[in-house]
Structures are given as structure tokens and as C-alpha cells.
């Protein structure tokens, strides 16, 4: 079994970073993706601790220390890529790890900002020679399903992605269940965090679930998501 954990760690983790790292020790994923990672002093401590935990293969875009980006760390070796051409304003929002049998995109897409990242990802996946997996905080979802209201942007782009041979791994396992990964101060739930797999990988999805206890204990304001392949 291969366990992939993705998590928006909220503004780089801050003083919560030790709790975040303790949870990684408990969950023991083979691969992890941190969104809202920041390459600052706390980020350096996170990377060093992950190295000591065996996550010796790491990739992240080199940007300003105050900007939220993505860290992908793995115990399994990979060939890494960043995409300065993906969007002029948000080139730091996507990283890729190419493994022997699949490619993994780790993402942190901006919230309610104009960008071209979803069409970029769809094009990348369609032109890849290996099947793809996409995880992270995408800040999108299906209106009326992944939230009660209709405030999600990029519905057309998301539907185009899902219709291009990409499946929602959470829905493969849990069907129409309503579950959310982030809550507003008013108590409204949103499923911002996702794990998508190319259709050819559907049979390998053994489980996909959220770890809400870490959000409820305020380790971060998003629930981590776990994808299990086998």
C-alpha cells in the first residue's frame, strides 16, 4: 500500500509546526504534500525534521519567504518539476513528482483569484505518458455538493477536468456523502481539499479520507486528506 497525505498547514504552520510534524509521525505517509508551505525559518525547520523522518526527497518552488506555496516530500525517490510557465502570477502553485508508475501533482490554487492553473493541469495530465494523481488544496469544488451554497469559482474548468478522464478519489470511495475539509467562522463547510486520480488508476484506490481530528484540535484550519493506493 502507498499512502499519500496532503494538508493545508495554514500560513506556513507557524507555532503549530511541531504538532503538524508530530501528526506526520503518527500517520506515517510515504508521500506528503503541504500547501500554504512557506520557505522561511519555520519552513527550514519543517524540511530538516522531515529529512530526519526519512522524507529525503523534497521539492518546492523558490519564491518569497512570505508567499504560500507547496512542499512535496517523499520517502520514495522521484524526479521533480516546477512550472514557471503555468501562470504568470501563480507559478509557485504547482509541483510535480514523477515516480516509476505515476506522476503526482501537488497543488495550492489561489482562492477566488483569476488564474489559468486548472486548464494547465488538464493539459499536462492529458499529454503525460504516465497516469497522473492530483492532490492538495484546490480552493474549488462542486457547488451544492462540496458546499451548501454556490460560491465556488471555476466550475466550467473543474467539470472539464473531471470529464477529461479524471476521477474524484473521495467520491469513488464515499459516493455522495457530504463532508467538508474547512469551515468558515459562521460554521459553513467547504470541501476545498481533493485527491483526483486518472481513470486508469481507479482500481488502485483503496481508501480516501479526511483526518478531521487535527483540524478540530487546531493543528491547522484544514483537515488533512489521505489517499491510499494498492
Amino acid at each position: 500500500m502507498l499512502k499519500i497525505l496532503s494538508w493545508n498547514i495554514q500560513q506556513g504552520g507557524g507555532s503549530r509546526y511541531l504538532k503538524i510534524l508530530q501528526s506526520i509521525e503518527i500517520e506515517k505517509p510515504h508521500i506528503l504534500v503541504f500547501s500554504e508551505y512557506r520557505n522561511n525559518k519555520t519552513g527550514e525547520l519543517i524540511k530538516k525534521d522531515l529529512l530526519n523522518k526519512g522524507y529525503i526527497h523534497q521539492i518546492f518552488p523558490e519564491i518569497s519567504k512570505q508567499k504560500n506555496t507547496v512542499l512535496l516530500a517523499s520517502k520514495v525517490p522521484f524526479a521533480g518539476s516546477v512550472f514557471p510557465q503555468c501562470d504568470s502570477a501563480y507559478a509557485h502553485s504547482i509541483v510535480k513528482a514523477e515516480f516509476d508508475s505515476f506522476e503526482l501533482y501537488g497543488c495550492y490554487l489561489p482562492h477566488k483569484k483569476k488564474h489559468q492553473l486548472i486548464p494547465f493541469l488538464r493539459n499536462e495530465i492529458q499529454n503525460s505518458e504516465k497516469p497522473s494523481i492530483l492532490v492538495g488544496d484546490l480552493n474549488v469544488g462542486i457547488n451544492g455538493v462540496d458546499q451548501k451554497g454556490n460560491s465556488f469559482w471555476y466550475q466550467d474548468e473543474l467539470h472539464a477536468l473531471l470529464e477529461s478522464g479524471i476521477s474524484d478519489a473521495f467520491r469513488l470511495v464515499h459516493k455522495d456523502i457530504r463532508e467538508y475539509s474547512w469551515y468558515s467562522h459562521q460554521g459553513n463547510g467547504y470541501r476545498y481539499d481533493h485527491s483526483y486520480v486518472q481513470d486508469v488508476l481507479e482500481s488502485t484506490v483503496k481508501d480516501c479520507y479526511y483526518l478531521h481530528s487535527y483540524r478540530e484540535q487546531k493543528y491547522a484550519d484544514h483537515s488533512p486528506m489521505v489517499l491510499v493506493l494498492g
Side-chain angles (χ1 to χ4, degrees):
M1 296 290 181
L2 183 72
K3 188 175 184 180
I4 302 170
L5 184 147
S6 54
W7 194 359
N8 181 322
I9 60 173
Q10 189 183 355
Q11 299 180 0
S15 60
R16 298 165 282 102
Y17 85 94
L18 287 175
K19 290 184 177 181
I20 292 168
L21 292 169
Q22 288 168 4
S23 72
I24 297 302
E25 185 70 29
I26 293 169
E27 301 302 330
K28 294 181 170 54
H30 301 93
I31 305 165
L32 62 86
V33 174
F34 284 160
S35 54
E36 286 201 22
Y37 171 79
R38 294 181 179 178
N39 189 31
N40 53 19
K41 183 176 180 180
T42 300
E44 289 296 325
L45 293 172
I46 289 173
K47 287 188 295 185
K48 182 177 180 180
D49 188 272
L50 291 175
L51 284 171
N52 292 335
K53 286 179 167 56
Y55 297 93
I56 61 174
H57 310 282
Q58 302 182 1
I59 186 171
F60 60 93
E62 297 282 357
I63 61 161
S64 164
K65 295 180 179 181
Q66 298 305 314
K67 286 191 175 182
N68 293 325
T69 184
V70 185
L71 170 68
L72 193 156
S74 173
K75 294 183 177 181
V76 184
F78 64 81
S81 301
V82 294
F83 301 98
Q85 79 282 14
C86 67
D87 186 288
S88 59
Y90 300 105
H92 54 281
S93 297
I94 302 171
V95 298
K96 182 177 79 170
E98 181 180 347
F99 297 94
D100 289 341
S101 56
F102 65 90
E103 294 180 337
L104 175 66
Y105 293 84
C107 304
Y108 173 59
L109 305 193
H111 183 248
K112 293 188 176 181
K113 304 287 186 182
K114 292 183 179 180
H115 63 77
Q116 299 298 318
L117 297 172
I118 298 175
F120 172 82
L121 285 165
R122 181 164 59 89
N123 183 67
E124 280 288 312
I125 291 169
Q126 288 180 325
N127 289 288
S128 175
E129 295 182 357
K130 294 181 180 180
S132 298
I133 299 171
L134 170 62
V135 303
D137 177 4
L138 305 186
N139 272 308
V140 295
I142 305 300
N143 285 319
V145 176
D146 297 321
Q147 63 157 318
K148 290 183 179 179
N150 61 353
S151 64
F152 286 131
W153 287 23
Y154 296 107
Q155 288 289 281
D156 292 344
E157 290 85 351
L158 180 58
H159 282 299
L161 176 67
L162 294 174
E163 291 169 1
S164 68
I166 305 296
S167 296
D168 184 334
F170 182 80
R171 295 291 173 214
L172 289 175
V173 177
H174 301 285
K175 308 305 178 186
D176 296 329
I177 190 173
R178 296 295 180 97
E179 201 165 333
Y180 308 116
S181 60
W182 184 88
Y183 284 82
S184 70
H185 292 302
Q186 293 75 32
N188 299 315
Y190 301 83
R191 197 166 76 92
Y192 286 136
D193 304 87
H194 301 275
S195 294
Y196 295 143
V197 300
Q198 211 153 3
D199 289 353
V200 68
L201 294 173
E202 281 189 14
S203 62
T204 71
V205 176
K206 302 306 177 186
D207 208 350
C208 187
Y209 55 91
Y210 295 100
L211 298 166
H212 297 302
S213 63
Y214 295 117
R215 172 180 52 79
E216 292 163 353
Q217 295 175 74
K218 302 188 184 305
Y219 285 32
D221 59 352
H222 286 242
S223 299
M225 187 173 211
V226 175
L227 174 65
V228 181
L229 305 175

